[in-house]
Amino acid sequence: MSVDLATVKKIASLARLAVTDGEAEALVPELNNILGFVEQLGTVDVTGVEPMTAVIPNDQRLRADVVTDGNVRDRVLANAPQAEHGFFAVPKVIE
């Protein structure tokens, strides 16, 4: 795929970038070089290479998914300024 002057102007318009005619002409070979490099990367043989998210191994330290702090409603409500029927009581906001 190659980029021409009209394509550069259209891309600049879609990206809402103000590009002069001189700048657009200078961008044509740069964008073509970038696209050429991307096409070159597409030809690389990656068979046997596992996908990765980083170049260094990262292991997430996850805790066990177990309930550790349940059935403490009375202790939690002891901190409330006012509790009613097992819930926090708050002042009425809507009149």
Side-chain angles (χ1 to χ4, degrees), residues 3-21 23-25 27-28 31:
V3 176
D4 58 355
L5 186 60
T7 306
V8 170
K9 289 184 178 182
K10 183 175 180 179
I11 292 170
S13 172
L14 291 172
R16 304 287 193 255
L17 298 173
V19 178
T20 64
D21 290 337
E23 291 172 336
E25 289 176 10
L27 284 173
V28 170
L31 291 176

Side-chain angles (χ1 to χ4, degrees), residues 77-83 88-89:
L77 289 176
N79 295 322
Q82 186 178 1
F88 285 94

Side-chain angles (χ1 to χ4, degrees), residues 18-72:
V19 178
T20 64
D21 290 337
E23 291 172 336
E25 289 176 10
L27 284 173
V28 170
E30 289 184 30
L31 291 176
N32 281 325
N33 286 339
I34 292 170
L35 291 176
F37 182 68
V38 171
E39 287 178 7
Q40 183 181 1
L41 287 176
T43 63
V44 175
D45 181 24
V46 292
T47 55
V49 178
E50 294 185 28
M52 59 183 178
T53 57
V55 294
I56 57 173
N58 290 329
D59 294 324
Q60 292 186 357
R61 295 180 297 258
L62 301 176
R63 64 175 174 82
D65 190 17
V66 295
V67 176
T68 57
D69 199 16
N71 293 329
V72 292

